Amino acid sequence: MNLQHGFHFELPDWLITTISEGPQSSLSDEQQMALVIELSRKNIGQGGGPFAALVINRADMSIVGAGVNLVTSRNLSCAHAEIVAISMAQQNLDCYRLSDKGDFQLVTSCEPCAMCFGAIPWSGVNRLLCGASKQHAEAIGFDEGPKLDSWISALEMRGIEVETGILEAEAAAVLAEYAQTTGLLY
C-alpha cells in the first residue's frame, strides 16, 4: 500500500466567488448568518452537505475564513464546515490560534457536532453564532455525536460567548431541503 505524503482541501470555486462578490465588512450577526445559510443551500446544489461556516474578524467584521461541508466531495470525515472555515482562517492569518491575531467569531449554520465542538476552544475564536440546532440535524438523520448537555456553559467557561437560534427557522429549512434530496447522511 502506498501511503499518501499529505492531504489538502480547497474551497470550491463557487464559494470563493460568492464570498468575493458579496459585502466584505460590517455585516450584522443576522446578515452573517443569512450568508452562511445561503452558502449551505448552495453547497447542496453542488453535491455537498447542508452546512456552512464563516470566521469573522470582530474588529472590522470582515470575513477571514469560509467553509462548507466537504466530507463527501473530498472523502474527509473531518472536513466539516466549521473545521474548514477555522483552518482557512488560520492559514490566511498565518497562526494556529486565532486569538493571537485578534477577536474572531465563528458563524455556523448549525450548532456544532461533537468534533467541531472539540475544535472550537483550541481554534482561538471568542464568539460562536449558531443557526439550526443539533435536534434539527438529527431529525433528518445526521449523527452529531456525543456532546455535553451543558456545551454552551462549557464554552462560556473558556471565555467563548455563544448565541444560538440566529435565523433558526431559515437554517433548519436548509436541512429539511437536504433531507428531500438524495443527499448522503454521514
Side-chain angles (χ1 to χ4, degrees), residues 125-146:
V125 298
N126 304 101
R127 187 171 185 230
L128 172 65
L129 306 177
C130 307
S133 70
K134 172 184 176 177
Q135 290 76 19
H136 292 117
E138 289 178 339
I140 68 165
F142 277 100
D143 178 1
E144 295 297 280

Side-chain angles (χ1 to χ4, degrees), residues 82 110-118 120 128 130 132-135 138 143-152 154-155 162 164:
E82 297 94 330
C110 189
E111 163 186 327
C113 69
M115 177 179 66
C116 296
F117 166 74
I120 288 169
L128 172 65
C130 307
S133 70
K134 172 184 176 177
Q135 290 76 19
E138 289 178 339
D143 178 1
E144 295 297 280
K147 189 170 67 176
L148 299 169
D149 289 337
S150 60
W151 69 274
I152 293 173
L155 290 177
V162 178
T164 61

Side-chain angles (χ1 to χ4, degrees), residues 32-54:
Q32 292 169 40
M33 186 60 69
L35 177 55
V36 166
I37 292 167
E38 175 189 350
L39 297 175
S40 66
R41 183 172 279 119
K42 283 186 176 183
N43 201 44
I44 295 170
Q46 297 298 315
F51 305 99
L54 295 172

Side-chain angles (χ1 to χ4, degrees), residues 9 53 78-88 115-116 119:
F9 50 80
C78 64
H80 288 201
E82 297 94 330
I83 302 297
V84 173
I86 289 166
S87 298
M88 291 298 176
M115 177 179 66
C116 296

Side-chain angles (χ1 to χ4, degrees), residues 12 16-18 26 28 45 48 50 65 77 92-93 96-97 101-102 114-115 128 137 148 163 165 170-171 174 183:
I16 300 298
T17 301
T18 302
S26 300
S28 69
S77 63
N92 287 335
L93 297 171
Y96 61 87
R97 185 155 176 82
K101 298 282 184 158
M115 177 179 66
L128 172 65
L148 299 169
E163 291 191 39
E170 293 88 340
V174 174

